[in-house]
């Protein structure tokens, strides 16, 4: 049986790889890709998602544009990581497939209303604005969500955008608060896990060696954004954050974490968007999220390469 998912995303090279991983995995049925402003503005994220679908030969996938700014705060983007287009690294053709007319938030609401309860998983890979807006507008859909498996936050690794906060949560902390408090089952893939899924020369060359347009694109994208993380962290390569969400759906055994309480800082400017994770269970606050800390990097890259080879 396939698992139905909606990918909510702001591509971004690592978002693009996550979309490809999902499209290359027969266990998953991608009901739609909903785009949000994040790494780059909405006009680019909704264009990039279609470029990625066309690269995978999947013009049939429905792509929707959603919220163009966070709930309360001004939009912060990350061209310094992802380049001006959000998908810098390799020139790819302009997409010819159309964006759906429906707003992404309406698609999320309508899908959760029409599908059987507990059969649709949300996979947010960017700021949580679309998801929070859908939950605010139609709270009855929350109980129908199977799971929310999201990339965002950090505890041991703390921040990549401010000293305290990870990008996706920092950009829209009010939206993150709504999602973390919503009551649906939440799985968090934070920097603590993704910073262990680093690219290496052999891993990038394995993408290139696929000898396909998908392999070439993924190798070039990872080559492109590696320079930023290597300079910043002095690490061997760069983390492929967002594909870890899809990998968790396929192979949860590759990850380890704890079911704990996670709250979002929305008041202090100094620590805005911090994911305050009660890893050591020092409070009596109710657990609300499975917070992942470890990933088997070799297992992850083997899975990713094998699935990209199918496209
Ligand atoms: C997250 O921020 C974005 O730059 C990436 O696409 C990922 O979703 C990592 O902090
Ligand atoms: Ca992302």
């Amino acid at each position: 049986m396939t698992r139905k998912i909606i990918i909510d995303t702001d591509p971004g090279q690592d978002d693009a790889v996550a979309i490809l991983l999902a499209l290359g995995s027969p266990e998953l049925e991608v009901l739609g890709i909903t785009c949000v402003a994040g790494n780059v503005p909405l006009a680019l994220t909704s264009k990039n998602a279609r470029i990625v679908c066309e690269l995978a030969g999947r013009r049939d996938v429905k792509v929707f544009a959603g919220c163009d700014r966070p709930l309360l705060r001004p939009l912060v983007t990350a061209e310094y990581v992802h380049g001006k287009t959000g998908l810098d690294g390799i020139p790819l053709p302009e997409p010819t497939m159309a964006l759906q007319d429906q707003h992404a938030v309406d698609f999320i609401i309508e899908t959760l209303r029409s599908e059987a309860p507990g059969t649709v998983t949300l996979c947010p890979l960017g700021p949580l604005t679309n998801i929070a807006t859908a939950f605010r507008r139609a709270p009855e859909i929350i109980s129908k969500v199977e799971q929310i498996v999201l990339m965002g936050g950090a505890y041991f690794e703390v921040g990549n955008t401010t000293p305290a906060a990870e990008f996706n949560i920092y950009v829209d902390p009010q939206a993150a608060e709504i999602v973390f408090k919503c009551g649906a089952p939440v799985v968090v893939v934070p920097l603590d896990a993704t910073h262990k899924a680093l690219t290496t020369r052999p891993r990038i060359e394995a993408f290139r060696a696929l000898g396909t347009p998908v392999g070439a694109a993924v190798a070039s994208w990872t080559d492109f954004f590696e320079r930023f993380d290597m300079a910043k962290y002095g690490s061997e390569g760069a983390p492929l954050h967002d594909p870890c969400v899809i990998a968790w759906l396929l192979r949860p055994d590759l990850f380890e974490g704890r079911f704990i309480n996670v709250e979002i800082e929305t008041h202090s400017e100094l620590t805005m968007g911090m994911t305050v994770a009660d890893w050591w269970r020092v409070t009596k606050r109710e657990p609300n999220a499975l917070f992942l800390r470890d990933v088997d990097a070799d297992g992850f890259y083997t899975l990713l390469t094998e699935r990209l080879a199918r496209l």
Side-chain angles (χ1 to χ4, degrees):
M1 214 184 87
T2 57
R3 184 165 181 176
K4 294 178 178 175
I5 65 170
I6 295 175
I7 301 179
D8 188 71
T9 179
D10 62 337
Q13 293 90 348
D14 63 320
D15 299 74
V17 180
I19 293 168
L20 292 172
L21 175 56
L23 296 179
S25 296
E27 303 92 325
L28 301 176
E29 182 187 350
V30 181
L31 298 179
I33 297 179
T34 54
C35 300
V36 69
N39 287 321
V40 285
L42 182 68
L44 285 173
T45 61
S46 53
K47 176 174 149 184
N48 291 344
R50 287 175 291 144
I51 290 176
V52 175
C53 290
E54 291 194 6
L55 175 67
R58 292 292 306 274
R59 297 171 53 86
D60 58 302
V61 176
K62 293 192 220 152
V63 178
F64 302 82
C67 300
D68 64 359
R69 73 191 73 149
L71 295 185
L72 294 181
R73 294 168 66 84
L75 176 65
V76 175
T77 52
E79 287 86 355
Y80 58 95
V81 183
H82 300 275
K84 209 154 131 309
T85 66
L87 271 190
D88 281 21
I90 188 171
L92 289 167
E94 289 287 300
T96 58
M97 66 187 269
L99 202 52
Q100 299 292 311
D101 290 334
Q102 196 178 25
H103 192 282
V105 169
D106 294 325
F107 170 73
I108 293 168
I109 293 173
E110 189 186 285
T111 305
L112 284 163
R113 279 184 179 152
S114 60
E115 295 284 342
T119 60
V120 177
T121 291
L122 303 178
C123 302
L125 310 177
L128 289 155
T129 322
N130 284 344
I131 309 294
T133 305
F135 287 178
R136 278 217 300 211
R137 205 176 290 165
E140 80 282 0
I141 63 173
I142 297 171
S143 64
K144 301 188 76 181
V145 173
E146 180 178 11
Q147 247 175 354
I148 302 167
V149 186
L150 66 93
M151 192 282 136
Y155 179 65
F156 296 94
E157 288 283 307
V158 207
N160 64 355
T161 300
T162 73
E166 179 279 330
F167 180 78
N168 290 339
I169 308 295
Y170 178 74
V171 173
D172 199 341
Q174 281 75 23
E177 183 175 43
I178 290 171
V179 170
F180 276 76
K181 283 193 188 315
C182 77
V186 174
V187 179
V188 185
V189 187
L191 298 181
D192 305 304
T194 67
H195 279 183
K196 291 171 184 146
L198 297 180
T199 53
T200 59
R201 255 317 96 198
R203 286 170 181 164
I204 295 179
E205 289 319 317
F207 297 143
R208 196 165 275 120
L210 294 174
T212 61
V214 164
V218 172
S220 318
W221 290 332
T222 43
D223 266 343
F224 177 82
F225 71 75
E226 238 195 20
R227 89 223 179 278
F228 171 79
D229 285 273
M230 288 165 78
K232 181 174 177 188
Y233 297 109
S235 53
E236 191 189 354
L240 271 179
H241 305 283
D242 294 336
C244 289
V245 164
I246 307 299
W248 187 84
L249 295 175
L250 301 168
R251 290 279 311 275
D253 59 300
L254 294 175
F255 296 82
E256 274 177 39
R258 287 186 185 183
F259 186 53
I260 58 170
N261 177 269
V262 183
E263 304 282 331
I264 310 296
E265 175 61 75
T266 56
H267 296 294
S268 156
E269 267 309 317
L270 184 65
T271 52
M272 184 62 72
M274 184 173 188
T275 42
V276 182
D278 190 5
W279 182 264
W280 303 112
R281 301 192 174 108
V282 292
T283 74
K284 292 204 167 20
R285 294 197 284 262
E286 280 294 306
N288 59 346
L290 174 60
F291 195 85
L292 304 179
R293 185 179 179 182
D294 274 306
V295 57
D296 166 356
D298 282 333
F300 166 73
Y301 277 94
T302 303
L303 173 72
L304 177 58
T305 312
E306 189 245 311
R307 295 311 168 91
L308 294 177
R310 300 182 186 201
L311 294 172

